[in-house]
Amino acid sequence: MLTDDDYRSPGDPRVFAIGDVAARLKDGAARRMETWAHAQTSARKAALAILGLPSEPEPTPWFWTDQCGHNLQILGDPSAADAVVERGEGVRLYLRQGALVGAVCLDRPRDFAAARRLIGQTLKPEIASDPSVDLRKAV
Ligand SMILES: Cc1cc2nc3c(=O)[nH]c(=O)nc-3n(C[C@H](O)[C@H](O)[C@H](O)COP(=O)(O)OP(=O)(O)OC[C@H]3O[C@@H](n4cnc5c(N)ncnc54)[C@H](O)[C@@H]3O)c2cc1C
């Protein structure tokens, strides 16, 4: 179902859609996100709108999946990047104009947690690419 930014139907302000069925209109395009995290964040945003409370900044979208004994986590929008930093075998960091816009981590939950905190910040590629250095030091 099409919704506005608060997951409210543009056709009827009493109707909301969250999770997989919500197709949120943003920048002229309808976008669905089928992830466990989005089911939670969209529910919270819709609940705030229903209660008439101010909306909160939204966390950067992310999801995980377990495949063939491995844990894959994806953050943000890697397709928006203009540069990719390889951080050892299991981590790719996606930068746009030097700022972190996405990350893909395979069996690297600590790096993923750090990337979630660093999203939007400018990273020093020479530090970020060294897996022996704490990623948080790349800012
Ligand atoms: C096979 C599979 C693997 C996935 N793996 C991942 C993953 O690794 N990571 C990740 O982030 N996401 C994953 N997802 C996506 C994730 O599960 C969904 O994005 C998330 O569950 C969506 O939550 P939801 O509440 O919108 O919908 P749902 O979880 O589908 O919940 C909708 C509920 O509504 C109920 N319902 C439907 N119709 C009616 C009705 N008429 N009356 C009453 N109840 C009704 C359904 O029974 C269901 O319980 C996976 C999905 C699938 C199918």
Side-chain angles (χ1 to χ4, degrees):
M1 189 186 98
L2 285 179
T3 76
D4 67 11
D5 210 38
D6 286 329
Y7 297 97
R8 190 191 301 265
S9 163
D12 187 336
R14 299 166 302 175
V15 176
F16 288 76
I18 58 171
D20 281 8
V21 296
R24 193 151 66 144
L25 285 166
K26 213 160 192 173
D27 302 325
R31 191 167 180 191
R32 293 177 61 219
M33 271 195 276
E34 297 182 28
T35 68
W36 175 85
H38 176 252
Q40 292 192 317
T41 55
S42 60
R44 184 172 178 86
K45 194 162 174 87
L48 290 171
I50 290 166
L51 293 170
L53 296 171
S55 67
E56 299 169 342
E58 283 179 66
T60 303
W62 70 279
F63 78 97
W64 95 99
T65 182
D66 291 321
Q67 300 289 335
C68 305
H70 295 280
N71 176 253
L72 178 68
Q73 294 171 296
I74 300 181
L75 172 70
D77 185 4
S79 69
D82 56 25
V84 183
V85 174
E86 295 187 12
R87 181 174 163 83
E89 280 198 0
V91 178
R92 297 290 178 273
L93 301 166
Y94 295 84
L95 309 184
R96 184 171 181 82
Q97 295 178 345
L100 186 67
V101 293
V104 175
C105 297
L106 187 67
D107 298 327
R108 298 281 289 274
R110 287 187 69 175
D111 280 338
F112 190 79
R116 284 187 73 186
R117 283 193 290 274
L118 298 177
I119 198 87
Q121 298 196 49
T122 300
L123 297 190
K124 297 185 180 99
E126 65 280 8
I127 298 175
S129 61
D130 184 347
S132 69
V133 179
D134 188 328
L135 183 56
R136 291 170 296 181
K137 295 189 173 153
V139 176

